[in-house]
Amino acid sequence: MQSLSQSVISFFIIYVLVCYQSTAQEFVRSDRKSSVLFETDRYKKLSTNSLAVFTVRDVFECCWKCLEYHGCWSFNFAIGKLKADLFDCELFSTTKYRLPLKISNVHNHYTIKNACKSNPCANGNVCSSLDEIQYKCKCISSDIGSECKFQNEICLSGKSGQFGIFETSISGKVKFFRLVHISGGIGAWAGSGVSHWGTRNNEIEITITNDDDKMLTPPKSYVREYRFYNLPGVLANDPELILPGFEPPLEVVAGQKFKVWNIEDFFNSKEEDNHGRLCVHAYVHFE
């Protein structure tokens, strides 16, 4: 008798953990709970290709079907009975966070509580929920943090050794550096306007060195008159600048520092009349 009581108590605990009060009381006993792991949208459904369709006795059984079925993240539960107290249970590999729900008079939709609900991945990057709490962001660069937030915001000027400095947060093999314009610019002579990366003739005047001031990109052979270089298709006011890449890739360690310079400032050549201040996000792209 004691063993039977313990079994009943154990079942009840599991039941409460998995299910909360159903939104369709007319066909689920009032003491049953639909999943605390699920969010409920009454009278709505997901309309897309399903993983599987089952005939079940109640929403509790449909909850379990989804939890047990590999790749299931949500389900439609048909609140209209088929026959003999049976209901349709339709499982999906996607959620309402990727596809909008539609109004339905005969369905409720259930979604596994999703760590991506708060949109933790910055700058429009894709969030993949691992479970109710954990998530992973697919960032456009390997080196901008677990939530794709900009970590390397730097500013530089065109003279007097006023470079910007950033560092890598992980070790690895770097394919190339990328700079994205935030604000400002540098002018190449007195009275000239400023631009993001170079002169009005689309001559690029940006270089990146290591912390010991060894020029890394572009190669020195690109640079003319210690002042500028050209990159095919690149304009001085483009919103971003991808510098020439590394072949073989450049091996770096976490915490390694790099400097972003105006080339005239780096070579200390004809920098006197440079003016302005440029601020950028620096990205490190790995293999």
Side-chain angles (χ1 to χ4, degrees):
M1 185 68 177
Q2 184 178 2
S3 176
L4 178 60
S5 298
Q6 289 175 340
S7 297
V8 171
I9 292 171
S10 297
F11 174 81
F12 179 77
I13 291 172
I14 293 172
Y15 202 97
V16 170
L17 288 174
V18 176
C19 287
Y20 63 81
Q21 185 64 43
S22 169
T23 58
Q25 296 293 336
E26 65 273 18
F27 58 85
V28 180
R29 293 208 323 260
S30 61
D31 62 335
R32 290 205 167 175
K33 311 287 184 180
S34 61
S35 176
V36 295
L37 298 178
F38 289 84
E39 297 175 355
T40 308
D41 289 278
R42 298 186 63 186
Y43 302 112
K44 291 186 179 180
K45 68 176 183 178
L46 193 64
S47 294
T48 188
N49 294 331
S50 59
L51 280 174
V53 179
F54 297 98
T55 301
V56 297
R57 291 166 295 178
D58 52 37
V59 69
F60 173 72
E61 186 177 355
C62 198
C63 289
W64 276 114
K65 290 290 186 184
C66 185
L67 292 173
E68 293 173 343
Y69 202 98
H70 178 71
C72 180
W73 282 98
S74 67
F75 64 86
N76 291 337
F77 184 77
I79 57 180
K81 295 179 183 178
L82 293 174
K83 58 182 179 179
D85 294 329
L86 297 177
F87 304 87
D88 272 343
C89 171
E90 190 176 14
L91 310 186
F92 299 97
S93 61
T94 189
T95 71
K96 62 184 179 181
Y97 301 114
R98 291 181 178 269
L99 295 174
L101 298 179
K102 295 184 177 180
I103 301 296
S104 172
N105 293 326
V106 294
H107 292 87
N108 290 334
H109 185 72
Y110 294 78
T111 306
I112 291 180
K113 288 184 178 179
N114 194 320
C116 292
K117 182 179 179 181
S118 62
N119 297 318
C121 303
N123 308 305
N125 288 283
V126 175
C127 177
S128 297
S129 182
L130 303 178
D131 54 33
E132 185 180 350
I133 299 174
Q134 301 180 80
Y135 60 87
K136 183 177 182 180
C137 297
K138 184 178 181 181
C139 306
I140 58 176
S141 166
S142 301
D143 195 32
I144 50 179
S146 62
E147 295 181 351
C148 306
K149 294 178 180 176
F150 298 120
Q151 293 185 322
N152 291 315
E153 181 175 330
I154 60 173
C155 296
L156 60 144
S157 297
K159 59 184 178 181
S160 304
Q162 297 184 56
F163 52 81
I165 192 165
F166 66 94
E167 64 181 55
T168 56
S169 60
I170 60 174
S171 300
K173 296 181 178 181
V174 176
K175 294 171 61 180
F176 59 90
F177 295 116
R178 180 169 64 98
L179 305 178
V180 176
H181 181 261
I182 301 174
S183 63
I186 295 175
W189 56 84
S192 70
V194 299
S195 67
H196 300 170
W197 317 119
T199 71
R200 62 187 178 187
N201 297 320
N202 298 318
E203 296 161 334
I204 308 304
E205 297 185 325
I206 297 293
T207 185
I208 294 180
T209 72
N210 63 15
D211 198 31
D212 295 324
D213 296 336
K214 178 183 177 181
M215 191 170 174
L216 299 176
T217 182
K220 280 189 177 181
S221 59
Y222 279 43
V223 181
R224 303 195 303 275
E225 302 176 19
Y226 300 100
R227 297 178 61 192
F228 53 81
Y229 58 97
N230 293 98
L231 294 175
V234 176
L235 305 180
N237 275 314
D238 281 349
E240 67 176 25
L241 173 65
I242 297 177
L243 286 102
F246 302 103
E247 188 58 49
L250 177 69
E251 294 194 22
V252 302
V253 297
Q256 188 166 336
K257 291 180 171 58
F258 299 91
K259 298 176 181 178
V260 182
W261 297 78
N262 173 273
I263 279 189
E264 290 185 343
D265 189 16
F266 174 69
F267 284 112
N268 196 25
S269 171
K270 300 183 179 180
E271 63 179 288
E272 296 81 7
D273 54 356
N274 288 351
H275 59 95
R277 178 177 172 83
L278 171 66
C279 294
V280 302
H281 289 305
Y283 292 89
V284 183
H285 288 257
F286 290 85
E287 276 192 324

